[in-house]
């Protein structure tokens, strides 16, 4: 019904510009009142950090995992764009959010939790990539987590999610999921 109403408003009003909000007018008003330094923060990393603080065994481990994967990638022949680095940082913060689930279901739990989380500042394919990276942190193959959302990813995004998930799996074995190890 909302689409019908919007269509009628657009046909009759013929506005020069239409602005849509993913979160709503209230959140937009609150955002405008934030201090400039808070508005400058990356909303994806802020939300990932908050989810990490609420769900991970050791929230500080996510940043250490990011540093470890940065060193790992520096030694690999893989180029990484700024956007991919940002997503990797978010993936590292979200890597342990499903640890409370039964080991047989951690991959699926991580995938579902991140796919449906209130994360902003990313598109659908990036959201699926984050979810799949976290899932691949628990299982060797993404096909173990069948979902139609995989179709949103490019083959390169799929390979990257698998590789990062595998690197995280190694890091968690070495660090026991704890900061400073």
């Amino acid at each position: 019904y909302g689409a019908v109403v919007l269509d009628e408003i657009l046909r009759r009003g013929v506005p020069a510009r239409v602005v849509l909000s993913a979160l709503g007018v209230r959140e937009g008003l609150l955002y405008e009142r934030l201090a400039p330094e808070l508005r400058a923060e990356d909303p994806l990393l802020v939300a990932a950090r908050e989810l990490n603080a609420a769900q991970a065994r050791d929230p500080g481990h996510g940043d250490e995992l990011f540093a470890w994967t940065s060193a790992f990638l520096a030694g690999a022949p893989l180029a990484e764009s700024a956007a991919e680095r940002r997503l990797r940082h978010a993936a590292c913060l979200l890597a342990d959010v499903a640890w409370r689930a039964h080991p047989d279901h951690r991959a699926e739990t991580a995938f579902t939790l991140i796919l449906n989380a209130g994360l902003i500042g990313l598109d659908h394919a990036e959201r699926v990539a984050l979810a799949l990276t976290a899932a691949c942190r628990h299982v060797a193959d993404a096909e173990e987590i069948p979902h139609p959302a995989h179709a949103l990813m490019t083959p390169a995004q799929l390979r990257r999610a698998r590789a990062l998930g595998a690197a995280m799996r190694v890091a968690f074995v070495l660090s026991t999921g704890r900061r400073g190890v």
Side-chain angles (χ1 to χ4, degrees), residues 34-73:
L34 284 176
E37 60 273 9
L38 290 175
R39 274 190 271 151
E41 291 183 21
D42 184 321
L44 172 61
L45 295 179
V46 169
R49 192 171 302 286
E50 287 176 4
L51 192 55
N52 172 279
Q55 299 286 335
R57 276 176 286 204
D58 185 352
H61 185 257
D63 286 315
E64 286 189 4
L65 183 59
F66 177 65
W68 188 86
T69 58
S70 293
F72 175 79
L73 287 175

Side-chain angles (χ1 to χ4, degrees), residues 92-111:
C92 288
L93 292 170
L94 298 170
D96 202 32
V97 297
W99 76 274
R100 287 182 179 94
H102 186 280
D104 292 345
H105 303 288
R106 284 184 186 150
E108 184 179 344
T109 299
F111 184 84

